[in-house]
Amino acid sequence: KLTTQKAENTPLTMNQQSSRNSRIKNESDILRNALESLNSRIDQAEERISELEDRLFENTQSEETKEKRIKNNEACLQDLENSLKRANLRVIGLKEEVEKEIGVESLFKGIITENFPNLEKDINIQVQEGYRTPSRFNPKKTTSRHLIIKLPKVKDKERILKAAREKKQITYNGAPICLAADFSVETLQARREWHDIFKVLKEKNFYPRIVYLVKISFKHEGEIKTFPDKQKLRDFINTRPVLQEMLKGVLQSERKGC
């Protein structure tokens, strides 16, 4: 035991100390190199992550731009379609192929004579085109397809629709029919979304109307108010307790359905 303690306390020779110092330095160099390599790999990883984040942001922006461009193109196409249909009248409720028996123009003259004799002398009853709408949803359905009648002037169509709203009950050979403006499928769907609100306002004598293209208007405190969408209508009625209570049911039910 004394021999071992003596060996441990024996001073190192110069060669031994130099060898020990060299080994420590080598180990330190190895650790330093490993640490530098690790830091370099971390830096490379961070640069790669940054590049991927930039590409992801660019792709997201590109997708958003693409989506906006698609929506704008769809809106332009819808506006163009509605513009082409502005002089059209949609006749709903006529039996299939009745126009083939007497011709579209004679049929249209019959509708005008039966319902609006005062307009017969004032408007051009000439028909530029007439056709049935395609069966888009269910080709086997038994209800008749709508008849589209293209008139020479938008003004004539508007006068007929105004007269139809005032008369309320339109017929052909005594059978009830309906006259309406002709719009794109998307616009028709947007106009239908006002149905429940329109019904409530009409029952309460607010004289509502769906105006071109999908706005709703009604009389409130002697003034005509017009709203392009339901959010604008919600903002308006928030400060009108009577309207708020009246439309609370339909607006809340629609919000829950969203």
Side-chain angles (χ1 to χ4, degrees):
K1 183 176 181 181
L2 291 174
T3 304
T4 303
Q5 289 179 349
K6 185 177 179 181
E8 290 177 352
N9 294 328
T10 302
L12 295 175
T13 63
M14 292 290 294
N15 290 335
Q16 289 175 329
Q17 185 65 40
S18 175
S19 175
R20 183 178 181 184
N21 291 341
S22 177
R23 185 172 65 254
I24 292 173
K25 184 177 183 301
N26 289 338
E27 291 176 353
S28 177
D29 290 342
I30 291 172
L31 289 174
R32 185 182 300 107
N33 291 336
L35 182 60
E36 290 176 354
S37 176
L38 180 60
N39 288 335
S40 176
R41 291 174 63 184
I42 290 174
D43 291 340
Q44 291 175 1
E46 288 178 346
E47 289 179 4
R48 180 60 176 163
I49 290 172
S50 179
E51 291 176 2
L52 291 174
E53 287 177 343
D54 291 341
R55 289 176 59 185
L56 178 61
F57 177 76
E58 291 173 0
N59 290 338
T60 302
Q61 292 292 102
S62 177
E63 286 298 318
E64 290 178 355
T65 303
K66 181 179 178 182
E67 188 174 341
K68 288 180 180 178
R69 187 164 60 248
I70 290 173
K71 288 182 178 180
N72 288 336
N73 290 340
E74 289 175 347
C76 289
L77 288 174
Q78 185 176 328
D79 289 342
L80 177 60
E81 184 178 356
N82 287 322
S83 177
L84 294 173
K85 292 173 177 283
R86 286 203 67 182
N88 290 4
L89 264 179
R90 184 178 287 257
V91 186
I92 305 168
L94 281 174
K95 292 182 179 180
E96 288 280 349
E97 301 188 354
V98 64
E99 69 276 11
K100 292 184 179 180
E101 300 174 2
I102 61 173
V104 175
E105 191 161 315
S106 295
L107 182 149
F108 182 59
K109 287 181 179 179
I111 294 174
I112 297 299
T113 301
E114 184 172 336
N115 296 277
F116 320 112
N118 295 333
L119 285 180
E120 192 172 1
K121 297 178 182 179
D122 297 336
I123 65 174
N124 185 357
I125 304 181
Q126 180 182 358
V127 174
Q128 290 188 340
E129 186 181 5
Y131 57 92
R132 291 278 181 172
T133 56
S135 299
R136 294 176 179 270
F137 304 108
N138 184 6
K140 296 181 180 180
K141 69 178 183 179
T142 56
T143 55
S144 60
R145 295 171 297 159
H146 299 176
L147 177 65
I148 306 299
I149 296 177
K150 187 175 183 63
L151 300 178
K153 297 180 180 180
V154 176
K155 183 179 179 181
D156 290 340
K157 181 208 72 171
E158 296 294 345
R159 291 185 66 185
I160 292 171
L161 289 177
K162 181 180 179 181
R165 287 192 297 268
E166 293 172 352
K167 191 174 186 295
K168 296 182 180 179
Q169 182 65 49
I170 311 300
T171 59
Y172 177 69
N173 288 340
I177 62 171
C178 179
L179 299 180
D182 184 34
F183 297 107
S184 67
V185 174
E186 294 79 8
T187 301
L188 286 172
Q189 179 58 39
R191 290 169 75 91
R192 289 190 192 105
E193 291 178 1
W194 287 114
H195 177 267
D196 291 340
I197 295 172
F198 184 95
K199 184 178 179 182
V200 172
L201 291 171
K202 185 176 181 180
E203 290 174 351
K204 301 297 183 180
N205 297 320
F206 277 76
Y207 305 100
R209 285 190 62 192
I210 304 298
V211 295
Y212 194 85
L213 282 168
V214 292
K215 301 176 182 179
I216 192 169
S217 71
F218 57 88
K219 185 177 289 188
H220 180 260
E221 296 180 350
E223 296 182 4
I224 300 298
K225 301 294 183 181
T226 303
F227 303 93
D229 55 57
K230 291 173 185 175
Q231 186 55 52
K232 291 287 192 301
L233 177 60
R234 287 190 184 97
D235 295 341
F236 177 77
I237 69 173
N238 279 341
T239 56
R240 277 81 177 177
V242 174
L243 279 175
Q244 191 173 21
E245 182 64 26
M246 184 192 310
L247 298 174
K248 179 174 62 176
V250 288
L251 286 175
Q252 283 185 348
S253 62
E254 287 177 356
R255 180 169 286 181
K256 290 178 181 177
C258 295

